């Protein structure tokens, strides 16, 4: 090789080290959610992370998780979640997370959308799960993917029956939920033989791989946004589908993932709210004023991206602190998220919220 000829092998190594080359097809899948969350945190000016508050929260969260014997099994213990570990449970979980977004209401608690089933009234996320269980009781195959794309059987009127409310308010973003069902049914039919199980098996027991498959093939799972000139991935519903599978099937069969630790927390309304309450997050005065006055943010707005990205990074730091203090602890971002969500619902029920949750009308969460 002459002095004038480039060293192609060295150039290839340099390009790869800088992330300029094509992806290595043999490399394990990565969602890039955590990396993007760190980028958001490093460039955030309206949401800040308090390190002392985060360390204190890690201690309190771990103590409470130990006292309550909190584990992945807690997920299945809830009366509304499926108890079987077969394909019907997989389809239920996929349907649930396909539609798991936007339940907040501008009305009071007694007037907001709610589902009555088996003598109880359910609101928020639980209203969705109750509606699905009620539909199955009424012999409506609401969790069957081939049903969603059959417009003669799965009509708009029938879906309004599925989600009929105990109040005068209908489920928020009804037309968007209908569109998600239609789209997912068509994609599953065309690309995965109409089977959620086939989709899962294509991921070959990789949590990150399944998240990426969902984001690649299903636009309604593609929770990506622009922030400071860069596309960032948050992927709340894609990640929670993997987490729910893992929890429901206790890490076995279709719920077995060799890289479950790559799943981050699920950036929604409630976790930022409780992280603020725990002293982990602080907001700029304009953002805090907007939240306290219940003024909705636009989906994809910088403030919203900062709230979600900084929450993901905060939960990661809490997880690391727990492991630092308790090296033998078995804990991941999924369990911390599940625990904090349940805890926040208790706080809400007792009327002890220190700040409202931020408001966005969005299919992403």
């Amino acid at each position: 090789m002459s002095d004038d000829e480039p060293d192609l092998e060295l150039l290839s190594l340099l390009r790869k080290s800088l992330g300029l080359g094509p992806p290595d097809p043999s490399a394990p899948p990565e969602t890039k959610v955590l990396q993007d969350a760190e980028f958001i945190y490093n460039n955030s000016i309206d949401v800040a992370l308090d390190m002392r508050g985060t360390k204190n929260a890690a201690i309190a969260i771990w103590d409470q998780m130990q006292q309550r014997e909190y584990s992945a099994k807690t997920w299945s213990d809830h009366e509304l979640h499926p108890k079987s570990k077969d394909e019907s449970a997989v389809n239920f979980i996929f349907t649930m997370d396909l539609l798991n977004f936007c339940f907040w209401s501008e009305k009071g608690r007694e007037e907001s959308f709610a589902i009555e089933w088996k003598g109880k009234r359910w609101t928020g996320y639980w209203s969705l799960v109750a509606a699905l269980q009620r539909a199955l009781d009424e012999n409506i195959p609401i969790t069957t993917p081939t049903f969603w794309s059959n417009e003669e059987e799965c009509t708009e009127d029938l879906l309004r029956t599925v989600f009929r409310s105990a109040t005068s308010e209908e489920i928020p973003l009804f037309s968007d939920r209908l569109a998600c069902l239609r789209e997912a049914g068509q994609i599953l039919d065309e690309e995965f033989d109409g089977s959620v199980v086939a989709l899962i098996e294509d991921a070959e027991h990789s949590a990150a791989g399944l998240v990426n498959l969902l984001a690649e093939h299903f636009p309604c799972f593609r929770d990506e946004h622009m922030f400071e000139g860069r596309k960032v991935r948050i992927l709340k519903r894609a990640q929670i589908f993997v987490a729910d599978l893992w929890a429901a099937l206790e890490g076995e069969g279709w719920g077995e993932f060799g890289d479950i630790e790559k799943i981050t927390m699920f950036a929604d309304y409630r976790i930022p709210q409780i992280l603020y309450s725990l002293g982990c997050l602080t907001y700029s005065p304009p953002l805090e004023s907007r939240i306290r006055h219940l003024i909705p943010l636009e989906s994809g707005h910088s403030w919203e991206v900062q709230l979600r990205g900084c929450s993901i990074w905060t939960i990661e730091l809490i997880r690391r602190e727990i492991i630092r203090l308790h090296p033998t602890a078995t804990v991941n971002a999924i369990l911390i998220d599940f625990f904090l969500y349940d805890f926040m619902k208790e706080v809400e029920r007792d009327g002890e919220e220190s700040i409202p949750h931020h408001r966005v009308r969005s299919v992403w969460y």
Side-chain angles (χ1 to χ4, degrees):
M1 182 178 70
S2 70
D3 292 341
D4 296 329
E5 293 177 340
D7 186 330
L8 297 180
E9 185 176 353
L10 177 60
L11 282 174
S12 177
L13 287 171
L14 285 171
R15 288 177 63 82
K16 186 178 294 186
S17 69
L18 294 171
L20 301 175
D24 181 355
S26 64
E30 299 290 343
T31 68
K32 299 184 179 179
V33 173
L34 190 60
Q35 296 94 313
D36 287 348
E38 184 177 17
F39 171 80
I40 294 168
Y41 160 70
N42 286 332
N43 291 275
S44 178
I45 58 174
D46 292 285
V47 181
L49 193 156
D50 185 293
M51 291 305 300
R52 177 174 294 180
T54 299
K55 289 179 180 292
N56 290 338
I59 295 170
I61 289 167
W62 180 247
D63 285 347
Q64 283 294 310
M65 290 178 75
Q66 294 301 103
Q67 288 180 32
R68 301 182 185 207
E69 298 181 344
Y70 204 88
S71 68
K73 189 177 182 300
T74 307
W75 190 95
S76 295
D77 287 342
H78 195 282
E79 61 184 291
L80 288 179
H81 280 155
K83 302 298 181 285
S84 68
K85 301 184 187 304
D86 55 14
E87 187 169 358
S88 68
V90 170
N91 287 342
F92 189 100
I93 294 167
F94 184 84
T95 310
M96 183 178 74
D97 290 324
L98 181 65
L99 303 175
N100 183 4
F101 55 84
C102 198
F103 300 103
W104 61 270
S105 172
E106 295 178 354
K107 298 180 180 294
R109 183 173 298 183
E110 297 303 315
E111 300 175 293
S112 60
F113 172 75
I115 294 292
E116 286 187 353
W117 184 61
K118 290 191 173 180
K120 291 186 179 182
R121 178 173 288 203
W122 303 93
T123 60
Y125 159 75
W126 296 114
S127 67
L128 168 65
V129 189
L132 298 180
Q133 293 285 17
R134 183 179 65 182
L136 293 176
D137 270 3
E138 295 170 349
N139 296 315
I140 299 172
I142 188 60
T143 60
T144 302
T146 53
F147 175 67
W148 306 334
S149 52
N150 186 335
E151 296 190 28
E152 292 184 2
E153 294 184 8
C154 183
T155 64
E156 180 175 332
D157 286 343
L158 182 60
L159 287 175
R160 290 191 184 279
T161 298
V162 169
F163 296 111
R164 65 188 183 276
S165 178
T167 71
S168 61
E169 183 178 43
E170 75 169 13
I171 190 169
L173 301 183
F174 173 82
S175 60
D176 295 273
R177 295 177 204 276
L178 172 58
C180 285
L181 284 171
R182 296 272 193 250
E183 175 188 273
Q186 181 178 354
I187 293 169
L188 285 170
D189 182 55
E190 293 176 354
E191 302 183 34
F192 299 98
D193 297 322
S195 168
V196 177
V197 165
L199 165 68
I200 295 168
E201 290 177 344
D202 276 5
E204 300 179 333
H205 297 291
S206 168
L210 183 50
V211 168
N212 289 342
L213 278 173
L214 287 166
E216 176 184 352
H217 292 275
F218 298 83
C220 65
F221 279 107
R222 201 173 297 145
D223 182 8
E224 302 172 338
H225 309 275
M226 293 302 299
F227 179 72
E228 295 298 314
R230 168 172 158 176
K231 183 173 74 174
V232 293
R233 310 184 93 200
I234 297 179
L235 303 179
K236 185 263 185 180
R237 289 191 297 110
Q239 290 201 104
I240 204 170
F241 172 60
V242 175
D244 286 347
L245 273 180
W246 172 75
L249 303 181
E250 298 182 14
E252 298 179 352
W254 296 309
E256 178 187 350
F257 299 103
D259 57 350
I260 195 65
E261 74 283 350
K262 291 182 179 179
I263 300 300
T264 71
M265 63 78 75
F266 320 113
D268 61 1
Y269 309 97
R270 292 300 184 184
I271 304 304
Q273 182 187 23
I274 196 165
L275 290 176
Y276 177 97
S277 301
L278 291 172
C280 302
L281 295 180
T282 58
Y283 303 153
S284 68
L287 174 57
E288 180 159 344
S289 175
R290 187 95 171 235
I291 293 172
R292 289 192 179 279
H293 287 89
L294 309 181
I295 302 173
L297 306 178
E298 294 179 12
S299 180
H301 189 282
S302 174
W303 283 351
E304 183 206 22
V305 175
Q306 290 177 58
L307 284 165
R308 301 181 74 200
C310 288
S311 295
I312 293 172
W313 189 244
T314 303
I315 295 297
E316 172 61 15
L317 295 185
I318 288 173
R319 185 196 67 81
R320 293 180 186 182
E321 180 66 8
I322 291 173
I323 297 299
R324 187 185 73 81
L325 296 172
H326 309 279
T328 61
T330 303
V331 65
N332 56 28
I334 296 171
L335 289 176
I336 297 171
D337 182 286
F338 283 175
F339 172 78
L340 288 178
Y341 181 86
D342 289 346
F343 184 71
M344 193 64 238
K345 295 302 287 185
E346 292 177 16
V347 170
E348 178 190 34
R349 181 194 63 210
D350 296 338
E352 297 176 353
E353 297 168 293
S354 62
I355 191 171
H357 65 74
H358 71 280
R359 297 183 170 210
V360 177
R361 287 290 180 208
S362 166
V363 301
W364 306 123
Y365 60 102

